[in-house]
Amino acid sequence: MMRASIDSGTAVTVLGLGAMGRALAVALVEGGHPTTVWNRSPGRTEGLPEGAAVAATAGDAVSASPLVVTCLLDHAAVHEVLDPVADRLAGRALVNVTTTTPTQASELAAWAAECGGDYLDGGIMATPDMIGNRGATILYSGAVGVLDDHRALLDLWGESSYFGPDAGVASLWDLALLSGMYLMFAGFLHGAAMVGSEGVPAQEFAVRATSFLGAMTGAFAGIADVLDTADYAGEGHQSLEFSDLGDLLQASRDQGVSTELIAPVQALIERQIAAGHGHEAFERIYEEIRSSPT
Ligand code: FVH
């Protein structure tokens, strides 16, 4: 059974006032929560909305609230800030929205437990300007009690989605989604370079790419069916042979554009064709991706 949220007016501390930490802190202040902030470099605290209390030290900031949010550069920075004040974490809830690997998130959960604190890991699927607006989603895993107790507060940032008690899982989802994003953006850059070689402005390419790539995302569910059933030989698929990227590679070379991004995909396709799967679906390269030892 869900516990009732007890966070109306809960005091909260935000450690780290980079672009994202600042956006989170602003949303909390505007949401009416007594908010204490701390940042390693003092300049970052300027211009915060009235009501944000600036702590002189990280230790003071942690002691100020039962709920502590870390939004720092990386896993190492979280330890650098929290290790010296570990004794103050006992009885507090730590929500870490710093990007970490799943292993790092699990390590932080175990470390927080040793300190006597509850740990909830968060993966922010948004840019700072999206915080508090529609479209921002935060993926959480770890101590569900922290989410249950503070859901209304956490929802001030965006939609909260919970992925279970293993603290590393939210991070796995976060990084998996970012993999898709970076590869899509890299693909966009490759295409922009191809038409750019003929003097087409990237803005012009962006208009077509937005429309085409947006429409292509409609294929995800069908692709996922193929992956989930491992039925690569079913009817109606696009075969590996048909998916050969030879023309794409040649056109890139002809235009003086690097093939470094596309060549690895072609290598996966060619290996599957060489293994006798040429008539099977393009999705079969998934078998190589998921079993790679690297
Ligand atoms: N910005 C974004 O769009 C993304 C969206 C998805 C999630 N990420 C992650 O959020 C973490 C913080 O990102 P950020 O955008 O706030 O990053 P910066 O603006 O670069 O600020 C970094 C803050 O971290 C502090 N910091 C760095 N190293 C240390 C350290 N060793 N000890 C103490 N603090 C440290 C830095 O402080 P300072 O340089 O001002 O003194 C900033 O407060 C991040 O994990 C993203 O992946 C954001």
Side-chain angles (χ1 to χ4, degrees), residues 17-20 39-41 44 72-73 80-81 98-99 124 126 128:
L17 291 177
M20 183 54 81
N39 195 70
R40 177 181 62 176
S41 313
R44 300 257 206 187
L72 298 161
L73 183 66
E80 214 166 296
V81 171
T98 304
T99 303
I124 301 178

Side-chain angles (χ1 to χ4, degrees), residues 25-118:
V26 168
L28 295 170
V29 174
E30 290 176 350
H33 290 273
T35 306
T36 301
V37 297
W38 174 86
N39 195 70
R40 177 181 62 176
S41 313
R44 300 257 206 187
T45 57
E46 280 162 23
L48 282 167
E50 208 175 314
V54 179
T57 66
D60 289 348
V62 170
S63 297
S65 312
L67 178 63
V68 176
V69 177
T70 41
C71 186
L72 298 161
L73 183 66
D74 56 16
H75 175 256
V78 175
H79 270 302
E80 214 166 296
V81 171
L82 289 182
D83 283 358
V85 297
D87 56 325
R88 305 201 192 194
L89 280 175
R92 299 182 202 283
L94 175 61
V95 177
N96 177 44
V97 292
T98 304
T99 303
T100 63
T101 66
T103 304
Q104 290 170 339
S106 297
E107 183 279 328
L108 280 166
W111 177 83
E114 275 172 33
C115 300
D118 290 327

Side-chain angles (χ1 to χ4, degrees), residues 223 232 236-249 262-273 277-285:
I223 292 171
Y232 301 113
H237 61 254
Q238 179 175 312
S239 73
L240 279 155
E241 276 160 358
F242 186 85
S243 308
D244 186 286
L245 303 182
D247 287 350
L248 210 159
L249 285 159
I262 309 295
V265 182
Q266 175 70 348
L268 294 174
I269 292 171
E270 283 174 0
R271 279 210 296 276
Q272 285 295 317
I273 292 174
H277 302 297
H279 294 300
E280 295 183 36
F282 165 76
E283 287 85 342
R284 207 174 203 293
I285 64 171

